[in-house]
Structure formats: structure tokens, C-alpha cells
Amino acid sequence: MPDRRGVLFVTDLAYQARGRRYCDEDIFLTSRLRDDFDIALCHPLDASALMDAFDVVVVRNSGPVLHYQKEYDAFREQATARGIRVYNPLCGRGDMVGKQYLLDLTAAGYPVIPTVDRPEELRLLPEADQYAVKPKAGADSMGLTFEPREQLGGLTYGDILVQPRIDFRYEVSFYYVDDAFQYALHAPDPERRWDLEPYEPNSADLAFARRFIDWNTLDHGIQRVDACRTREGELLLVELEDLNPYLSLDLISDSTRDSFVASMTASLHRYLDVAPHT
């Protein structure tokens, strides 16, 4: 019987998230992953000191890295230099590296909320009653404000993004392990983002979400594609979360949850079986 692989599971069990209990999700996940792996939990600030003793570092509900950006940057640098396997791998192009992807996807013509970061580009945005102004390095709506168009020219640009405030019907999230769709949840009330219910996507919905999974080219890991449904029925990308997406596992059926754990377990084994990067 082969030796069991060691997993350093990075989580902040004390982190307080609005509308979510991060700790419950990670307690559940580690209790199930323990069937296949030897697991130790640690706070994100301890990961760099401990990671050499494990086969893989799994970054889960550790809260926004903005709270410890310097330490997180050092963790990424050291993990890369020392050939440590990190799950999700550190090559993600979504929220893992900030909000630049919203600009890139806008420029490439993807179905995303139109996003600009320079005053001369404001003319490219559609007319709206208000505009969302957010930091490029934002998370969990930190630093988000809404401004009328006449105020946009007076902002200090460089570290902010500007988007029209969309009058949407609801938000919907699509959850993936590697490139395989797992389940979807939606928030019927736009004012209550985390009051989620199961959602049955149609083929067009899945094609929409898959475009962003393909664009991200992340071979292993967990991703969440967040979108909003406009009044006209179009889906627009809100966020591509590839760092530590909350999974809302408590809101799905037992069978779907079991299937997700099985998919994550198989994904970790596949990731550990591939040749290490040199």
C-alpha cells in the first residue's frame, strides 16, 4: 500500500465572514479529506514555515490576503522557489493576482461587466445612474464605493477600477474542480448576496461559465465563476475566484457534497501524480 500523502491545509478558522461560516466548511472538508490524506491545519501566516514537510499545500478559507499581503507575497515567492506544490497552483489568472483580469477580459470582448482603469476610457462605459469604483487589489467588497458619472473624472486613477452599476435580476455562481462543473447556486435577492439557493444551469449558462474556466488555463484546483443576470437576460462575469473560493457546501444536497469531495480528492491525487515543475 503506497504511503499516504501529507496535506498542509491552510485556513483561518477564526476569520469572520459576512453571511458565511468559513470555519464550518473547512472543518467538514478536512474531516472528509482525511480518509485519503494525512492532514494538518495551519493559519496562513504559518504556511511558509511549515510547508516543506508536506506533499502539497491546500489554500482554502484563509480570508482576504489583503490582511497579510506582505506575508502572502513571501509565501508565493518561497513556494515557487522551493518547488512546493500549492493547490490551487499559483499560476491562476483570476483573483489570485488581483483584478487585472477584468480589464483583460473587457478588452478581449468577453461577457464581463465593462471595466476600465483610466480616465480617458470612461467614455467606453455604458451610461448608468451610478458607477462602481473598487480597488484593483480589493476583496469582499472592501473599498467599494458608488459614484455618479460626473464624479468619476476627479478620482485618482492607477489603483482603481470603474464599472457601471448593473441593474441585475440575480447573481449566480458556478463551481468547478479542475475543468469539471460541480454545481451552481444563485442569490434570488440582489440585496442578499449570500442567501443562496440551488440553481439548475442550462447549456447556455454552462457554456458561459466554461469560457472563463478555459481562459484561466488552471489545470488543477477549485474555481468559482460569479456572474449576474441582467434585466435583458444576459449573463455578465462579476468575478473569477481562483485563490480560495468559498464553496457554500452547507447549501447543497448530501449527494452533491459527496460528489464534490470525491472530485476534489481525485484532483489532489492527479496533481500530486504529475511531474513536478523544474
Side-chain angles (χ1 to χ4, degrees), residues 85-105:
R85 295 180 193 265
V86 181
Y87 186 95
N88 289 354
L90 298 175
C91 56
R93 303 164 69 190
D95 270 355
M96 189 181 293
V97 288
K99 301 292 184 184
Q100 177 64 38
Y101 69 92
L102 294 172
L103 298 166
D104 297 340
L105 290 169

Side-chain angles (χ1 to χ4, degrees), residues 8-249:
L8 183 62
F9 195 99
V10 179
T11 180
D12 182 358
L13 296 177
Y15 179 71
Q16 298 294 316
R18 183 173 57 189
R20 294 151 284 168
R21 283 182 56 87
Y22 277 14
C23 59
D24 288 352
E25 182 161 285
D26 284 349
I27 291 168
F28 166 77
L29 271 179
T30 51
S31 73
R32 296 289 298 273
L33 292 173
R34 192 166 285 114
D35 292 341
D36 277 68
F37 304 98
D38 292 331
I39 293 188
L41 280 69
C42 82
H43 188 276
L45 295 181
D46 300 323
S48 293
L50 299 173
M51 59 186 178
D52 284 299
F54 294 84
D55 295 297
V56 62
V57 178
V58 174
V59 178
R60 282 303 308 137
N61 289 323
S62 51
V65 297
L66 291 174
H67 298 318
Y68 49 95
Q69 189 69 53
K70 180 180 178 181
E71 293 83 357
Y72 175 69
D73 291 343
F75 162 75
R76 286 179 60 99
E77 181 179 344
Q78 293 173 36
T80 300
R82 286 143 62 179
I84 302 295
R85 295 180 193 265
V86 181
Y87 186 95
N88 289 354
L90 298 175
C91 56
R93 303 164 69 190
D95 270 355
M96 189 181 293
V97 288
K99 301 292 184 184
Q100 177 64 38
Y101 69 92
L102 294 172
L103 298 166
D104 297 340
L105 290 169
T106 295
Y110 278 74
V112 56
I113 297 177
T115 308
V116 301
D117 67 342
R118 295 187 291 179
E120 60 268 27
E121 295 176 336
L122 293 173
R123 60 181 176 79
L124 302 176
L125 296 180
E127 291 290 334
D129 293 335
Q130 287 187 312
Y131 293 80
V133 179
K134 61 183 68 173
K136 287 183 179 179
D140 277 6
S141 299
M142 295 169 60
L144 172 67
T145 63
F146 295 102
E147 307 289 346
R149 194 176 187 99
E150 58 268 21
Q151 297 295 324
L152 299 180
L155 299 175
T156 301
Y157 287 81
D159 296 322
I160 62 170
L161 302 175
V162 180
Q163 300 175 316
R165 188 173 189 178
I166 302 295
D167 179 23
F168 59 86
R169 289 161 49 193
Y170 57 80
E171 289 188 73
V172 57
S173 295
F174 305 89
Y175 301 78
Y176 283 76
V177 172
D178 298 348
D179 62 350
F181 172 72
Q182 302 297 310
Y183 57 93
L185 296 168
H186 80 305
D189 184 347
E191 301 300 320
R192 304 175 72 174
R193 170 67 180 96
W194 294 105
D195 284 0
L196 296 167
E197 299 176 1
Y199 177 86
E200 290 296 330
N202 58 32
S203 59
D205 295 337
L206 292 176
F208 164 89
R210 184 56 184 259
R211 288 186 67 184
F212 299 103
I213 297 297
D214 290 343
W215 177 85
N216 202 18
T217 64
L218 197 63
D219 291 336
H220 307 277
I222 300 168
Q223 299 179 73
R224 194 184 75 215
V225 178
D226 294 338
C228 63
R229 178 82 69 185
T230 68
R231 295 294 174 184
E232 296 72 32
E234 182 184 13
L235 280 178
L236 295 176
L237 182 76
V238 175
E239 187 173 44
L240 178 56
E241 176 57 79
D242 61 0
L243 172 57
N244 51 3
Y246 185 67
L247 304 171
S248 299
L249 293 176

Side-chain angles (χ1 to χ4, degrees), residues 254-273:
D254 290 346
S255 59
T256 302
R257 191 159 46 245
D258 290 344
S259 177
F260 177 87
V261 172
S263 295
M264 183 179 177
T265 300
S267 171
L268 279 167
H269 281 301
R270 285 193 298 269
Y271 183 39
L272 287 164
D273 287 339

